[in-house]
Amino acid sequence: MLFGYSRYKLKKTQLSIGFIIAFIALTGFEAVLAWYVFARTGEIAAFQIIVSLFVLYALTFGFHDFKRLDRWMRKKIDADRLLTTKDYEVMARQKDPTVQAKHYLVTWMTHVAVFLSVQVLFFGLSGLDIHDSANYLTDLDWLGSESYEATPYDNQTFHSVSMIWGIILVVDTIVSATYVFQKKDKKKRGA
């Protein structure tokens, strides 16, 4: 709330950036506390995971998405005074199918890398060694299980997070593929 008021109403860009940094820092502190509680108790709550994922998103994909949202807000509020020529150039470039394809391919590959890293972490925290992990990855019958007992995960939270995140990854894959494999207009030469 303070961010929007200071940025769009008061037109104090530096102050608004300070509010965003403070918000992310406080949320990051919450994530650190959540993982500290996990280290001490061995239990993790869905809220802890959500906060941690939000911080991860804010520090990775969120920056690009926030910049796009900010340009859109500035255009809707007062295009003449809030947007620069560079902003209009960036907005035009973001509509280019080749730029979109590259962006979605990079973000999808990053998403896959983060997902796989978290799966390695979850397998490790569940006490699996490389051979146990390989057995689970070659026999995927456990994927349909509603309970964590038949899965490689040590608790229901790891299982639930992995299943939900897996669905999100599939959706992200489909969305990203529509941009990566979209038909690109080829400009006619000499015309």
Side-chain angles (χ1 to χ4, degrees):
M1 205 66 163
L2 291 172
F3 167 80
Y5 183 75
S6 63
R7 186 165 189 94
Y8 305 119
K9 184 70 173 167
L10 299 178
K11 295 178 179 55
K12 303 281 185 186
T13 306
Q14 294 302 320
L15 181 62
S16 66
I17 290 172
F19 284 128
I20 278 290
I21 290 171
F23 175 73
I24 292 173
L26 288 171
T27 307
F29 181 66
E30 279 184 77
V32 169
L33 285 176
W35 288 103
Y36 175 75
V37 168
F38 172 72
R40 297 298 251 177
T41 65
E43 294 182 12
I44 192 164
F47 177 74
Q48 294 168 315
I49 294 168
I50 291 168
V51 168
S52 298
L53 290 176
F54 176 78
V55 171
L56 183 64
Y57 168 77
L59 297 175
T60 55
F61 304 120
F63 181 77
H64 174 75
D65 294 341
F66 174 76
K67 293 291 281 181
R68 287 182 62 196
L69 176 64
D70 181 48
R71 281 190 207 96
W72 180 82
M73 286 292 293
R74 287 186 285 157
K75 183 177 180 183
K76 291 295 178 192
I77 291 171
D78 188 352
D80 295 333
R81 296 187 337 195
L82 294 175
L83 287 173
T84 64
T85 304
K86 183 180 176 184
D87 289 326
Y88 283 111
E89 290 170 0
V90 169
M91 290 166 70
R93 194 171 354 138
Q94 287 174 339
K95 291 181 182 179
D96 179 9
T98 305
V99 172
Q100 289 177 340
K102 181 180 177 184
H103 168 74
Y104 279 95
L105 181 61
V106 168
T107 58
W108 177 80
M109 289 189 311
T110 304
H111 189 177
V112 169
V114 170
F115 177 79
L116 292 175
S117 298
V118 170
Q119 293 309 304
V120 168
L121 175 69
F122 282 178
F123 277 31
L125 291 173
S126 296
L128 298 180
D129 63 17
I130 192 80
H131 300 294
D132 293 333
S133 299
N135 288 337
Y136 276 108
L137 294 175
T138 56
D139 180 15
L140 300 176
D141 290 340
W142 57 271
L143 276 176
S145 177
E146 291 184 20
S147 175
Y148 76 92
E149 283 93 5
T151 71
Y153 305 110
D154 191 34
N155 60 52
Q156 187 64 38
T157 303
F158 287 174
H159 177 250
S160 299
V161 167
S162 295
M163 294 301 111
I164 292 169
W165 196 348
I167 293 167
I168 292 169
L169 182 60
V170 168
V171 171
D172 185 34
T173 300
I174 293 167
V175 169
S176 295
T178 62
Y179 284 98
V180 171
F181 298 113
Q182 69 183 323
K183 185 174 180 159
K184 286 134 184 111
D185 294 332
K186 295 182 180 179
K187 294 180 181 177
K188 295 179 182 178
R189 297 177 193 235

